[in-house]
Amino acid sequence: MRSDAAKKGLEKAPHRSLFKAMGYTNEEIQRPLIGIGHAHNEIIPGHIHLDKIVEAVKAGVRMAGGTPIAFATIGVCDGIAMGHTGMKYSLASREIIADSVEIMGQAHPFDGLVLVPNCDKVVPGMLMAMLRLNIPALMVSGGPMLTGRFHGRDVHLISVFEGVGRVKAKTMTIDELNELEDAACPGCGSCAGMFTANSMNCLTEALGLGLPGNGTIPAVSAARIRLAKQAGMAVMNLFHEEIRPRDIATREAFENAMAIDMALGCSTNTVLHVPAIAREAGVDLPLATFNEVSSRVPHICSLIPGGPHSLQQLNEAGGVQAVMRELLNTESGLHQQVMTVTGQTLGENLQRAMVRDREIIRPVANPYHQQGGIAVLYGNLAPEGAVVKQSAVAAEMMCHSGPARVFDSEEEAQAAILAGGIRPGDVVVIRYCGPKGGPGMPEMLSPTAAIIGMGLGKSVALITDGRFSGGTQGACVGHVSPEAAEGGPIGLLREGDTIVVDITGKRLHCEIDEAEMARRREAWQPPAPKITTGYVARYARMVSSGSAGAILK
């Protein structure tokens, strides 16, 4: 056992003494030691209940003959961090989470790991660490929040963000917004909808590193507790069978996960996280791979925020496993021979899956869109690529041309939108918000939600070198690379320049000739860093482009 390095033999008597100081018995010490890495805290709705999930995992480990040992890491609530300095720390927290789990797993030689995250950067951070450590491991999330109910319709966190714009547009009263605020988030769980957290939890399941149900069983369901117990038992099977994360997370498994990404219409943030996770597995996933997968995998689930259906409904319809079963009917199918944390191949798992509701999970022959949910755009504004959630874009905005309205910060853009300064046809440009320039590539949920709330969702496009919440809808193009702070073309734009956002043609272009672009580039000066001390200052100096997953160099 790997843990023997810290517990076996004469020379480890002092080590065993420290275990006994915590109440561990000789019998517990002799068993396989299973680390339970979690991010329980009292500031994230998706994590407030993770202590209960951890206790269930511990029960499963003990039932299967192991000794569970819990430890914690950090987490950031993107919703609470939104719209102020805190958002500069969200994406950057992914690297701290990965490093902290790696440190715990190397300093204390566990025989296996169960990782318990739920929200945005915690899931990819823990997956990155899992693949670095490469000891028997799996992930079990805390599960999605239920939708709220307001005036007879389903609502969620993004409804409140959009409500701010509606109040400004005088289509909603303050009293109604206060009522919505009380109803939108009815309890614990990752925010209801195919936002980043739920996207990553679904992709973990599709990748084979989470048990069936990981992505969709609601946080408040007893089935979530049962799943956590099963995860504790499953890690012991992985230990005995010597199945490790890199045995599971192969190139073929990542292609399966990307196929689910396209079928579900997941968050654009997956385009940052999936390549970063793949890198830890030794798998190269260039940005262009997303377009390749999107071209062959249709969008068959219309989920919040781009559609009407909730994660709870997707779960009732059969969940991620049922979606994967349906994708077997596509021309390219899925790689069924890949191993999963069940100890069986994907093909064996899918024999038990079935689609229970054809309204929620459409047949591949009758999809919502022939192409997948995400598109990568290229052009003279994005030589290294830019990303859009095309499944959440209105048909009339799939190709849009208009004058640039240029802002060097999210705050400036938000003020202009809410003040009525953005007109139909405009292209809002928010720059110096990339991994380096932000720093930390802040999400743009406030301005995108304000555009929708102000009734401009079908007439205004937005482009940024920052990123978007998974709750964003509309013609919003993010991750424009190279970013402005690195001298990218988005930093050379001027007010009134004509921008073409052609999602159908996978093109992001500005109608400026090369000579003029060269003159502007000659005059450009890099901006002073926005933060000069502390972690994100170091992060800004070390981080790569969004097109490379915003990994640290």
Side-chain angles (χ1 to χ4, degrees), residues 324-374:
M324 297 185 87
R325 179 67 179 263
E326 180 58 30
L327 291 185
L328 297 182
N329 297 322
T330 60
E331 186 175 334
S332 55
L334 295 174
H335 302 285
Q336 297 184 62
Q337 79 284 3
V338 295
M339 181 53 65
T340 73
V341 292
T342 66
Q344 297 183 303
T345 66
L346 177 66
E348 291 170 325
N349 290 346
L350 294 183
Q351 289 178 14
R352 297 185 291 275
M354 62 179 294
V355 178
R356 300 191 185 96
D357 189 329
R358 282 296 181 186
E359 183 180 349
I360 308 298
I361 303 173
R362 282 192 177 182
V364 293
N366 181 34
Y368 287 96
H369 302 97
Q370 289 295 335
Q371 292 194 347
I374 288 175

Side-chain angles (χ1 to χ4, degrees), residues 282-508:
V283 174
D284 183 34
L285 280 183
L287 197 60
T289 311
F290 284 87
N291 277 349
E292 295 169 11
V293 177
S294 180
S295 68
R296 59 180 172 81
V297 178
H299 175 224
I300 60 174
C301 298
S302 187
L303 300 165
I304 297 168
H309 301 137
S310 67
L311 266 292
Q312 181 181 1
Q313 289 174 303
L314 177 60
N315 186 64
E316 292 165 357
V320 171
Q321 300 294 303
V323 177
M324 297 185 87
R325 179 67 179 263
E326 180 58 30
L327 291 185
L328 297 182
N329 297 322
T330 60
E331 186 175 334
S332 55
L334 295 174
H335 302 285
Q336 297 184 62
Q337 79 284 3
V338 295
M339 181 53 65
T340 73
V341 292
T342 66
Q344 297 183 303
T345 66
L346 177 66
E348 291 170 325
N349 290 346
L350 294 183
Q351 289 178 14
R352 297 185 291 275
M354 62 179 294
V355 178
R356 300 191 185 96
D357 189 329
R358 282 296 181 186
E359 183 180 349
I360 308 298
I361 303 173
R362 282 192 177 182
V364 293
N366 181 34
Y368 287 96
H369 302 97
Q370 289 295 335
Q371 292 194 347
I374 288 175
V376 179
L377 314 185
Y378 294 92
N380 67 354
L381 272 183
E384 294 177 7
V387 182
V388 63
K389 188 172 182 175
Q390 62 180 348
S391 59
V393 178
E396 52 265 60
M397 291 298 292
M398 291 297 286
C399 188
H400 177 82
S401 176
R405 303 298 309 281
V406 182
F407 304 94
D408 288 347
S409 73
E410 178 185 359
E411 293 78 11
E412 293 171 16
Q414 176 77 345
I417 295 165
L418 293 179
I422 302 302
R423 297 178 294 275
D426 286 348
V427 178
V428 176
V429 178
I430 308 178
R431 63 189 183 186
Y432 296 106
C433 294
K436 179 184 178 71
M441 210 177 186
E443 287 186 347
M444 301 290 166
L445 180 54
S446 293
T448 60
I451 286 171
I452 298 296
M454 297 285 283
L456 298 170
K458 295 183 179 181
S459 61
V460 168
L462 186 152
I463 70 170
T464 180
D465 51 7
R467 61 192 178 92
F468 298 117
S469 161
T472 292
Q473 58 178 309
C476 298
V477 181
H479 311 194
V480 174
S481 300
E483 62 174 293
E486 292 279 17
I490 190 174
L492 308 179
L493 290 173
R494 294 178 183 172
E495 191 81 5
D497 288 341
T498 299
I499 295 175
V500 178
V501 181
D502 182 3
I503 298 170
T504 303
K506 308 293 190 290
R507 183 167 167 263
L508 183 62

Side-chain angles (χ1 to χ4, degrees), residues 241-255:
E241 297 296 325
E242 298 185 350
I243 300 172
R244 298 171 186 268
R246 290 185 205 165
D247 299 328
I248 294 169
T250 61
R251 168 71 189 217
E252 291 77 16
F254 277 100
E255 289 182 3

Side-chain angles (χ1 to χ4, degrees), residues 18-64:
L18 291 169
F19 276 100
K20 290 177 180 179
M22 295 177 281
Y24 292 104
T25 64
N26 283 328
E27 290 77 11
E28 287 175 304
I29 296 169
Q30 290 165 7
R31 291 179 176 186
L33 304 184
I34 306 299
I36 316 295
H38 66 88
H40 169 250
N41 61 44
E42 296 180 351
I43 193 65
I44 306 177
H47 291 212
I48 190 73
H49 66 305
L50 291 190
D51 54 338
K52 308 297 189 300
I53 303 296
V54 169
E55 289 305 314
V57 173
K58 286 181 179 179
V61 170
R62 290 192 183 101
M63 283 191 286

